Amino acid sequence: MTSRVLVLNAGSSSLKYSLLDGVSGAAEASGSVERIGEERGTLVHSVGGHHHTEERRVADFEDALRSALRAFERHGPSIDESTLAAVGHRVVHGGDLFAEPVRVDDRLLDTIDDLIPLAPLHNPANVEGLRVAMRLFPGVPQVAVFDTAFHQTMPEHAYTYAVPLTWRTEHRIRRYGFHGTSYAYVSRHAAELLGRAVEDTNLVVLHLGNGASAAAIRGGRSIDTSMGLTPLEGLVMGTRSGDLDPAVHAHLHRELGWSIDEIDRALNRESGLRGLSGANDFREVTRRRAAGDTDASLAFDVYAYRVRKYVGAYYAVLGELHAVVFTGGIGQHSAELRAAALGGLSMLGIDLDPDRNDASGAQARVVSPDGAQVAVLVVPTNEEWEIARQALGVVDG
Ligand code: ADP
């Protein structure tokens, strides 16, 4: 029985794919098709350390997936239907309907379609990716893995917003949380690194990438997370504001006459690190900060302060904490950020070992001193492997 899985991540104008073994995590090839629907699209197919690039118009998702399949034919490896155990799809929003990954058929596709109002920016592309893959791989099980599913274990008091009843019941307004596949992967590997059973491990996990969120995880189950109805809430991100007084919308509308869509766009695309410093890439922010740029310096400080606040809040939520875990491009690579976010917390049992923190590495590692009350870990995430693993779990029953 093969354990080979094709993982697809269909975004608003891009399709990322990777072919890997769901058991070992070994990747055979990966690639992306960008700027779908625009004048000029780009396909990059990476295999065996070589990157094959092609530039041409890519009309839609079907064209994108067909282009990817042609790249597999041309540059390898071969992905005949019979060699695939499953196609695993990242789906952003599963609402409160999906707490587990599911095998998708036409009926289920309609259910995922019904969730589009909750994630108008993400779910339409995810659904289209599923439809196209079902057409092009009719004989292969298609499995949807939801970003929200991991957080369906949150208790009612954590996911409920203090808003009127009809908002919560008829309009499904509540905290859902995202980055679920990353949290599932990272919490298992963090427990392994600590030498503890995941069921007996309490973690604050900080997923700091272009999008960023924090989660309080007790015994391998999410009990709170910083993203809410949408991925806008919580930490400062590359281009998203994170937490904000909800009255800012009304204020901007009254004062500037901005429409809701304009405000939504500005908070999702023009805020966060970009709004504060002009740069949305954290490496660029740290470079400018080191060169004395005061905007970049403020951006760094606001970012680190927000992370620190969530660590404190989730420590209190968990009561007992075994480790703070950093992942995502920023969490994995920025020793400066880890130091700024966790400095001066010795009274809480949280300490960094400066040499361990400064050392770089691609492996999961401990960056706190030996014997620390609360360990601090860096655990590189692998969402593709987690999607492949979960897809195999569904297929194997
Ligand atoms: P995505 O959320 O798109 O998967 P990543 O997890 O790759 O993104 O994180 C991207 C972020 O990580 C960017 O802001 C990037 O600048 C930051 N980053 C990557 N490498 C470093 C580094 N060496 N130091 C600081 N930040 C880094």
Side-chain angles (χ1 to χ4, degrees):
M1 170 84 191
T2 175
S3 47
R4 216 177 182 212
V5 180
L6 178 67
V7 173
L8 296 182
N9 182 354
S12 56
S13 64
S14 69
L15 177 72
K16 296 196 181 106
Y17 59 89
S18 87
L19 178 68
L20 70 168
D21 186 293
V23 175
S24 71
E28 290 186 60
S30 64
S32 64
V33 186
E34 310 270 348
R35 297 193 297 280
I36 298 171
E38 291 180 29
E39 195 101 319
R40 218 170 170 69
T42 313
L43 179 138
V44 181
H45 182 80
S46 304
V47 57
H50 296 285
H51 307 291
H52 305 276
T53 305
E54 194 187 317
E55 290 221 349
R56 65 171 187 84
R57 181 174 151 70
V58 180
D60 52 24
F61 279 105
E62 175 148 357
D63 194 4
L65 188 52
R66 284 188 190 281
S67 307
L69 297 184
R70 269 197 306 277
F72 274 106
E73 268 167 30
R74 223 173 273 158
H75 308 294
S78 150
I79 51 164
D80 188 67
E81 269 205 3
S82 63
T83 68
L84 290 179
V87 181
H89 296 259
R90 176 183 181 220
V91 179
V92 169
H93 221 308
D96 53 7
L97 302 178
F98 298 103
E100 303 285 344
V102 287
R103 187 163 172 171
V104 179
D105 54 20
D106 288 332
R107 188 184 54 81
L108 217 69
L109 211 52
D110 291 341
T111 310
I112 300 172
D113 229 12
D114 289 345
L115 291 167
I116 282 180
L118 287 175
L121 300 178
H122 299 101
N123 270 32
N126 301 157
V127 171
E128 190 51 24
L130 271 159
R131 270 191 225 288
V132 167
M134 285 163 83
R135 269 202 303 275
L136 300 193
F137 293 103
V140 183
Q142 308 285 326
V143 179
V145 179
F146 301 91
D147 257 16
T148 47
F150 184 74
H151 300 296
Q152 281 295 301
T153 50
M154 279 191 288
E156 197 174 7
H157 60 255
Y159 71 66
T160 302
Y161 289 126
V163 294
L165 181 65
T166 53
W167 297 25
R168 291 180 273 129
T169 51
E170 284 172 34
H171 304 289
R172 298 189 280 197
I173 292 175
R174 49 159 285 182
R175 176 185 305 286
Y176 292 99
F178 299 87
H179 288 141
T181 50
S182 177
Y183 287 124
Y185 179 91
V186 167
S187 43
R188 253 197 343 271
H189 286 259
E192 219 171 273
L193 193 59
L194 293 170
R196 303 181 65 94
V198 73
E199 298 76 24
D200 185 31
T201 306
N202 290 358
L203 304 169
V204 171
V205 182
L206 301 157
H207 178 111
L208 311 177
N210 283 315
S213 69
I217 299 173
R218 174 180 288 147
R221 295 157 69 87
S222 172
I223 59 166
D224 204 351
T225 191
S226 60
M227 283 178 168
L229 175 76
T230 77
L232 183 58
E233 193 180 356
L235 302 179
V236 176
M237 308 179 214
T239 63
R240 299 188 200 126
S241 64
D243 291 337
L244 187 81
D245 182 343
V248 168
H249 282 78
H251 180 81
L252 285 170
H253 176 66
R254 280 191 220 105
E255 291 295 307
L256 303 175
W258 284 15
S259 70
I260 289 297
D261 282 345
E262 284 172 315
I263 298 167
D264 199 37
R265 190 190 143 77
L267 291 174
N268 275 291
R269 306 256 180 93
E270 307 298 333
S271 300
L273 295 172
R274 173 178 287 164
L276 289 167
S277 73
N280 64 299
D281 187 288
F282 200 78
R283 261 171 304 196
E284 181 61 21
V285 172
T286 47
R287 253 196 302 272
R288 292 188 193 181
R289 172 176 179 254
D293 180 329
T294 52
D295 290 340
S297 184
L298 178 63
F300 181 94
D301 292 346
V302 174
Y303 191 102
Y305 180 70
R306 189 82 54 88
V307 172
R308 174 190 284 268
K309 279 211 290 195
Y310 273 94
V311 171
Y314 288 169
Y315 199 154
V317 161
L318 288 162
E320 186 185 11
L321 179 62
H322 300 114
V324 177
V325 190
F326 286 89
T327 193
I330 299 168
Q332 280 164 227
H333 300 298
S334 181
E336 270 174 288
L337 184 274
R338 293 192 296 265
L342 299 186
L345 297 182
S346 300
M347 289 289 284
L348 296 177
I350 301 176
D351 274 308
L352 282 168
D353 178 294
D355 293 333
R356 289 179 179 177
N357 189 43
D358 285 343
S360 54
Q363 300 301 315
R365 61 195 195 276
V366 180
V367 293
S368 48
D370 292 339
Q373 181 190 326
V374 177
V376 182
L377 312 179
V378 174
V379 178
T381 194
N382 191 334
E383 290 167 280
E384 288 77 21
W385 186 9
E386 184 62 24
I387 291 172
R389 207 185 74 89
Q390 293 194 18
L392 273 188
V394 169
V395 174
D396 294 345

